[in-house]
Amino acid sequence: MQTKRMTFNHRYLPYLLLAPQVVVTLIFFVWPASQALYQSLLRQDVFGFKTEFVWFDNFTRLFADDQYLQALKVTLTFSLGTTLLSMSVALLFAVLVNRLIRSRDVYTTFLVWPYAVAPAIAGILWWFIFNPTLGILPYALDMLGYQWNHRANGNHAMLLVIIAAAWKQISYNFLFFLAGLQSIPQSLIEAAAIDGAKPFKRFWTIVFPLLSPVTFFLLVVNVVYAMFDTFGVIHATTEGGPAQATNILVYKVFRDGFIGMNLGSSAAQSVILMAIVVLLTVIQFRYIERKVNY
Amino acid sequence: MVENNSWSRFMTHCILILGVALVVFPVYLAVIASTHEAGTFLSGTLPLLPGSQGLENYKQVLFEGRSRAGTPPLHTMLWNSFVMAMTITIGKLLVSLLSAFAIVYFRFPFRMFFFWVIFLTLMLPVEVRIVPTFQVVADLGMLNSFAGLSIPLIASATATFLFRQFFMTIPEEMLEAARVDGAGPLKFFKDILLPLSITNIAALFVIMFIYGWNQYLWPLLITTDPEYYTIVMGIQRMVTGADAEPLWHLVMATVVLAALPPILVILFMQRLFVKGLTETEK
């Protein structure tokens, strides 16, 4: 890695400058992570008197545990649902806004602010809208003859948290798609129009392929978001229920560790999550070159 | 050449207005709900127009709180959130400016090692090491304190990388000129690097303030004393705290107050926000 051609010479100053960051990282990131690694190989009895070294038993138990496999499945559904919903809506908005000139900034302003809403608050907002007794949407659905109840129906609850999580993320995707669209040379689109390509054809054969770096980048970012930043959405609303239907991995780690006090299993789950983050980070840095040219 | 007739423009506006309405709807509803009295919610569906209880509701949540549910008045929570967000933001900026400076402008043993240690923070979000991090903070006696709320979150790989990249684009001649004039490293940092990075600092400030304000899991873990509740996590206590249906008019007033500061930050500093957002992600 490069430095400047000319640098300062100082024996201890650089270490002093790095110290705050490195100390915080070591104490609050590296040490707990290594503790998690270590604890994932241990098992405590119920009263915490005896701790036993069990090698990879926690992991084999996890993968034999129906609840964990269920949580994996739930996480997959939830991340894919959130990612697809929020990215497709954002792409639609970006394409439309990109066609306008004078009103572009007005629409952008209206579309970016949900980014500022915390996931937990987004969850509560939609929880309220979908509230079976006084919410607007169940009322409307009832008139159509459909009973909505996310307290009893797992699919309803899943749909609710997906909508809440995706709603908040639309702004982010929108901004990146818009920047991506603006970097596509207008001449390409005009050339295709001269050749007689209609708008839809132009979008699918020219614009969308040229957007693919942005799309791929957003795909990774959204999956990371859905897997790790949506704890608040779940915790403030469904709390993993009904019947584990929205129990995503991150929420399960929290519940098994803090409420269930099952430290070994919780630590093993943490280790698996770490592996997932590492994998996603590697994908992000290895395969995504500078995604947009601003 | 490319179709641009008034019909297609009209359709574009129609869909966008509908879309914006859908995006704004949840927050509109929250604002409306916060202006009604408790009785309105018992009668079935929620009205779509504002009620008359707005001022009283906000006054109640801000200054009285709800002793029954064990939540303090909101002004304490708002203050806690503000202190936490500001400490995290300033801490992150300071810490990452200093480390980027060290990495770019010095050559010293183990430079790469430190770089990778900083990089590690990216791979270890709080969510994946919940229990052991809690144990560390508890062992250090930092539960229920502002130090515990903010210090563990101030390491930042993204900010460090951003500043590193920015410092690399600063012409070599700056340093040469500064050294000819006899400036030491700290003077160079304070009088040349800081003023040059001011736009980047401002852009990151916006992003990190929102990040800090919206922290949820972390305050949930390490605060048990209502004195230190932050507003974003405090709401959850109001919704799920009691067995009965929550007092929606007060919950929604709280929601509005909790979401307002970061939304205002984005609306007033939109340009900086967009810059910060697009540059921190690589």
Side-chain angles (χ1 to χ4, degrees), chain B residues 216-234:
Chain B
Y216 182 79
L217 174 59
W218 189 243
L220 189 74
L221 292 182
I222 68 158
T223 60
T224 44
D225 177 356
E227 281 286 291
Y228 287 99
Y229 280 4
T230 64
I231 186 156
V232 174
M233 64 145 304

Side-chain angles (χ1 to χ4, degrees), chain A residues 25-38:
Chain A
T25 307
L26 289 178
I27 296 181
F28 297 106
F29 288 75
V30 177
W31 171 250
S34 60
Q35 281 300 100
L37 278 174
Y38 176 62

Side-chain angles (χ1 to χ4, degrees), chain A residues 116-159:
Chain A
V117 178
I121 294 180
I124 291 177
L125 287 174
W126 287 96
W127 182 248
F128 181 57
I129 290 181
F130 277 109
N131 186 305
T133 47
L134 52 81
I136 300 279
L137 285 177
Y139 181 73
L141 287 172
D142 195 41
M143 289 199 292
L144 298 173
Y146 190 80
Q147 283 293 321
W148 175 275
N149 191 351
H150 54 242
R151 296 217 176 99
N153 186 323
N155 292 333
H156 290 176
M158 175 58 95
L159 199 60

Side-chain angles (χ1 to χ4, degrees), chain A residues 175-176 294, chain B residues 162 166 196-204 206-207 269-281:
Chain A
L175 281 174
F176 276 86
Y294 295 101
Chain B
L162 182 77
F166 174 69
L196 282 175
S197 340
I198 203 76
T199 344
N200 282 306
I201 293 178
L204 272 180
V206 174
I207 300 291
M269 293 180 231
Q270 198 178 328
R271 214 156 283 269
L272 284 174
F273 163 70
V274 174
K275 180 179 161 62
L277 199 64
T278 44
E279 281 180 6
T280 41
E281 294 295 343

Side-chain angles (χ1 to χ4, degrees), chain A residues 158-276:
Chain A
M158 175 58 95
L159 199 60
L160 169 74
V161 288
I162 287 179
I163 292 176
W167 173 75
K168 185 203 134 55
Q169 194 68 357
I170 288 175
S171 327
Y172 186 92
N173 296 331
F174 169 78
L175 281 174
F176 276 86
F177 274 133
L178 190 62
L181 286 169
Q182 283 171 355
S183 71
I184 294 175
Q186 193 60 29
S187 53
L188 290 179
I189 294 163
E190 283 171 6
I194 292 173
D195 287 348
K198 292 275 170 283
F200 266 102
K201 176 114 178 153
R202 287 203 301 268
F203 179 78
W204 286 115
T205 53
I206 297 176
V207 176
F208 194 69
L210 282 172
L211 269 184
S212 58
V214 189
T215 313
F216 188 59
F217 161 79
L218 285 178
L219 208 62
V220 178
V221 170
N222 278 279
V223 169
V224 171
Y225 160 79
M227 287 191 70
F228 299 102
D229 295 339
T230 48
F231 174 85
V233 177
I234 306 284
H235 185 256
T237 60
T238 62
E239 299 193 295
Q244 319 271 333
T246 54
N247 197 3
I248 60 171
L249 291 174
V250 170
Y251 189 71
K252 191 167 160 56
V253 174
F254 165 79
R255 202 154 68 171
D256 288 358
F258 269 89
I259 298 160
M261 289 311 241
N262 190 346
L263 291 185
S265 168
S266 171
Q269 293 179 38
S270 292
V271 171
I272 294 171
L273 280 177
M274 269 182 234
I276 297 176

